[in-house]
Amino acid sequence: MTLHLGKASTLPASPEEAVLDYVPNPRPGRLYAVRFAAPEFTSLCPVTGQPDFAHLVIDYLPGETIVESKSLKLFLASFRNHAAFHEDCTVGIGERLAAEMKPRWLRIGGYWYPRGGIPIDVFWQTGAPPAALWLPDQGVPPYRGRG
């Protein structure tokens, strides 16, 4: 039973209050990857309180469950008023998904837009991906400014 799927849901006040729903993997035992891209992810700088923006890409190889996309969207949106450094947001999202969903493998790329003139990209994964898994590049070009 899911909390969000097919129901009206409100935006959680914080990532800690957000509930992620998981449903059974429709293809258990199959070797396939799932990708979620969040090109408009936002959080707050813990020092200045100003908004930070990122393009997140989450790839995972399902185990027994998959994350329900509406609950993931609400979880990611709950960071809008959450003050944390880029590294904490990116790695924290990956660790929470890995701990709760227990995928066979997971990686997250956080491609953050410049803060103080320096773009910060953060990457985390649970380990090496299975050798036979087809895994495309995350497809986010490096930051190039206005050029």
Side-chain angles (χ1 to χ4, degrees):
M1 181 118 165
T2 62
L3 180 65
H4 302 292
L5 189 60
K7 301 173 184 140
S9 301
T10 58
L11 184 64
S14 70
E16 296 77 25
E17 292 180 22
V19 176
L20 285 158
D21 288 334
Y22 302 93
V23 297
N25 179 354
R27 299 286 180 176
R30 296 277 194 208
L31 186 66
Y32 70 98
V34 176
R35 172 170 290 168
F36 287 102
E40 297 177 349
F41 179 84
T42 59
S43 66
L44 297 176
C45 173
V47 177
T48 66
Q50 295 295 309
D52 286 323
F53 302 91
H55 183 151
L56 298 182
V57 181
I58 302 165
D59 294 316
Y60 74 94
L61 171 57
E64 295 298 314
T65 63
I66 57 174
V67 66
E68 191 278 313
S69 61
K70 180 179 179 184
S71 72
L72 179 64
K73 176 186 76 170
L74 291 167
F75 170 59
L76 295 177
S78 73
F79 282 83
R80 289 180 183 166
N81 295 315
H82 179 73
F85 289 110
H86 302 334
E87 297 84 352
D88 187 37
C89 289
T90 306
V91 176
I93 291 166
E95 287 179 334
R96 178 155 174 198
L97 287 168
E100 292 183 12
M101 182 172 41
K102 297 178 181 41
R104 293 167 60 187
W105 175 82
L106 181 141
R107 76 174 174 186
I108 183 170
Y111 302 86
W112 293 83
Y113 295 92
R115 177 195 286 170
I118 300 173
I120 300 171
D121 295 335
V122 181
F123 308 100
W124 183 83
Q125 65 183 21
T126 57
L133 179 64
W134 176 63
L135 199 56
D137 180 79
Q138 290 195 325
V140 181
Y143 185 78
R144 294 191 49 156
R146 292 187 176 198

